[in-house]
Amino acid sequence: MYLKLPPAIVWLLAALIMFGVARFLPFGHFDFTGRIYFIYVLIGLGGIIGLVAIVQLVKKHTTINPIKPQNVTQLVTGGLYNYSRNPMYLGLLFALLAWGLYLENAFNFLIAAGFVSYMNAFQIIPEEEALFNKFGSKYSAYLKNVRRWF
């Protein structure tokens, strides 16, 4: 499996598909008390997680370019990366879930699940292979201790 599209483009496509589903699917509408507050929480968490993850990589002077994982110069395992191997993608997922809640269509959460599946297959697995090739047993130990998403 090889990297196909930048994660931001995959996220944007998923968000556009969610909009289409909410607009043109005649069923699946839902609402619940506190939905708007939950949207704010997800957007806030997603933004904070994504931003902190990027700052951590920049502070370690390693690449934040997801298309070229072979350019990584250092394995970052502290901070958020102590809890999730992919906090930037987790931030994108939270934003996508918030968008799905905003659009009020239950079927949009299937699109979010598709985003996770695509990211695992075409982005994360190739990144993991590149990191394993670069860092070997150190990365292997990291894989055993930290979950892929959360």
mmCIF file with all atom_site columns, all heavy atoms in Angstrom, residues 6 31 35 64 88 125:
data_model
loop_
_atom_site.group_PDB
_atom_site.id
_atom_site.type_symbol
_atom_site.label_atom_id
_atom_site.label_alt_id
_atom_site.label_comp_id
_atom_site.label_asym_id
_atom_site.label_entity_id
_atom_site.label_seq_id
_atom_site.pdbx_PDB_ins_code
_atom_site.Cartn_x
_atom_site.Cartn_y
_atom_site.Cartn_z
_atom_site.occupancy
_atom_site.B_iso_or_equiv
_atom_site.pdbx_formal_charge
_atom_site.auth_seq_id
_atom_site.auth_comp_id
_atom_site.auth_asym_id
_atom_site.auth_atom_id
_atom_site.pdbx_PDB_model_num
ATOM 1  N N   . PRO A 1 6   ? -2.766  13.503 0.077  1.00 0.00 ? 6   PRO A N   1
ATOM 2  C CA  . PRO A 1 6   ? -2.455  14.118 1.371  1.00 0.00 ? 6   PRO A CA  1
ATOM 3  C C   . PRO A 1 6   ? -3.655  13.985 2.319  1.00 0.00 ? 6   PRO A C   1
ATOM 4  O O   . PRO A 1 6   ? -4.803  14.107 1.884  1.00 0.00 ? 6   PRO A O   1
ATOM 5  C CB  . PRO A 1 6   ? -2.188  15.585 1.022  1.00 0.00 ? 6   PRO A CB  1
ATOM 6  C CG  . PRO A 1 6   ? -1.857  15.589 -0.427 1.00 0.00 ? 6   PRO A CG  1
ATOM 7  C CD  . PRO A 1 6   ? -2.631  14.441 -1.027 1.00 0.00 ? 6   PRO A CD  1
ATOM 8  N N   . ASP A 1 31  ? -31.139 14.668 15.986 1.00 0.00 ? 31  ASP A N   1
ATOM 9  C CA  . ASP A 1 31  ? -30.772 15.796 16.840 1.00 0.00 ? 31  ASP A CA  1
ATOM 10 C C   . ASP A 1 31  ? -30.871 15.310 18.277 1.00 0.00 ? 31  ASP A C   1
ATOM 11 O O   . ASP A 1 31  ? -31.596 14.352 18.571 1.00 0.00 ? 31  ASP A O   1
ATOM 12 C CB  . ASP A 1 31  ? -31.710 16.979 16.601 1.00 0.00 ? 31  ASP A CB  1
ATOM 13 C CG  . ASP A 1 31  ? -31.186 18.272 17.210 1.00 0.00 ? 31  ASP A CG  1
ATOM 14 O OD1 . ASP A 1 31  ? -30.033 18.294 17.679 1.00 0.00 ? 31  ASP A OD1 1
ATOM 15 O OD2 . ASP A 1 31  ? -31.938 19.271 17.212 1.00 0.00 ? 31  ASP A OD2 1
ATOM 16 N N   . ARG A 1 35  ? -26.222 18.768 21.509 1.00 0.00 ? 35  ARG A N   1
ATOM 17 C CA  . ARG A 1 35  ? -25.475 18.468 20.277 1.00 0.00 ? 35  ARG A CA  1
ATOM 18 C C   . ARG A 1 35  ? -24.519 19.599 19.920 1.00 0.00 ? 35  ARG A C   1
ATOM 19 O O   . ARG A 1 35  ? -23.352 19.351 19.599 1.00 0.00 ? 35  ARG A O   1
ATOM 20 C CB  . ARG A 1 35  ? -26.451 18.203 19.123 1.00 0.00 ? 35  ARG A CB  1
ATOM 21 C CG  . ARG A 1 35  ? -25.774 17.873 17.804 1.00 0.00 ? 35  ARG A CG  1
ATOM 22 C CD  . ARG A 1 35  ? -26.794 17.634 16.688 1.00 0.00 ? 35  ARG A CD  1
ATOM 23 N NE  . ARG A 1 35  ? -27.648 18.779 16.446 1.00 0.00 ? 35  ARG A NE  1
ATOM 24 C CZ  . ARG A 1 35  ? -27.305 19.824 15.686 1.00 0.00 ? 35  ARG A CZ  1
ATOM 25 N NH1 . ARG A 1 35  ? -26.158 19.850 15.079 1.00 0.00 ? 35  ARG A NH1 1
ATOM 26 N NH2 . ARG A 1 35  ? -28.137 20.827 15.530 1.00 0.00 ? 35  ARG A NH2 1
ATOM 27 N N   . ILE A 1 64  ? 6.818   17.446 9.179  1.00 0.00 ? 64  ILE A N   1
ATOM 28 C CA  . ILE A 1 64  ? 5.382   17.312 9.413  1.00 0.00 ? 64  ILE A CA  1
ATOM 29 C C   . ILE A 1 64  ? 4.682   16.939 8.116  1.00 0.00 ? 64  ILE A C   1
ATOM 30 O O   . ILE A 1 64  ? 3.470   16.848 8.071  1.00 0.00 ? 64  ILE A O   1
ATOM 31 C CB  . ILE A 1 64  ? 4.755   18.589 10.011 1.00 0.00 ? 64  ILE A CB  1
ATOM 32 C CG1 . ILE A 1 64  ? 4.938   19.784 9.073  1.00 0.00 ? 64  ILE A CG1 1
ATOM 33 C CG2 . ILE A 1 64  ? 5.316   18.875 11.389 1.00 0.00 ? 64  ILE A CG2 1
ATOM 34 C CD1 . ILE A 1 64  ? 4.153   21.001 9.474  1.00 0.00 ? 64  ILE A CD1 1
ATOM 35 N N   . MET A 1 88  ? -2.288  13.906 14.907 1.00 0.00 ? 88  MET A N   1
ATOM 36 C CA  . MET A 1 88  ? -2.770  14.842 13.879 1.00 0.00 ? 88  MET A CA  1
ATOM 37 C C   . MET A 1 88  ? -3.986  14.266 13.161 1.00 0.00 ? 88  MET A C   1
ATOM 38 O O   . MET A 1 88  ? -4.951  14.972 12.892 1.00 0.00 ? 88  MET A O   1
ATOM 39 C CB  . MET A 1 88  ? -1.658  15.155 12.874 1.00 0.00 ? 88  MET A CB  1
ATOM 40 C CG  . MET A 1 88  ? -0.579  16.040 13.460 1.00 0.00 ? 88  MET A CG  1
ATOM 41 S SD  . MET A 1 88  ? 0.597   16.651 12.244 1.00 0.00 ? 88  MET A SD  1
ATOM 42 C CE  . MET A 1 88  ? 1.434   15.161 11.764 1.00 0.00 ? 88  MET A CE  1
ATOM 43 N N   . ILE A 1 125 ? -0.274  2.887  7.588  1.00 0.00 ? 125 ILE A N   1
ATOM 44 C CA  . ILE A 1 125 ? 0.560   1.689  7.393  1.00 0.00 ? 125 ILE A CA  1
ATOM 45 C C   . ILE A 1 125 ? 1.836   2.021  6.605  1.00 0.00 ? 125 ILE A C   1
ATOM 46 O O   . ILE A 1 125 ? 2.927   1.619  7.015  1.00 0.00 ? 125 ILE A O   1
ATOM 47 C CB  . ILE A 1 125 ? -0.247  0.541  6.771  1.00 0.00 ? 125 ILE A CB  1
ATOM 48 C CG1 . ILE A 1 125 ? -1.235  0.004  7.823  1.00 0.00 ? 125 ILE A CG1 1
ATOM 49 C CG2 . ILE A 1 125 ? 0.664   -0.564 6.256  1.00 0.00 ? 125 ILE A CG2 1
ATOM 50 C CD1 . ILE A 1 125 ? -2.201  -1.041 7.315  1.00 0.00 ? 125 ILE A CD1 1
#
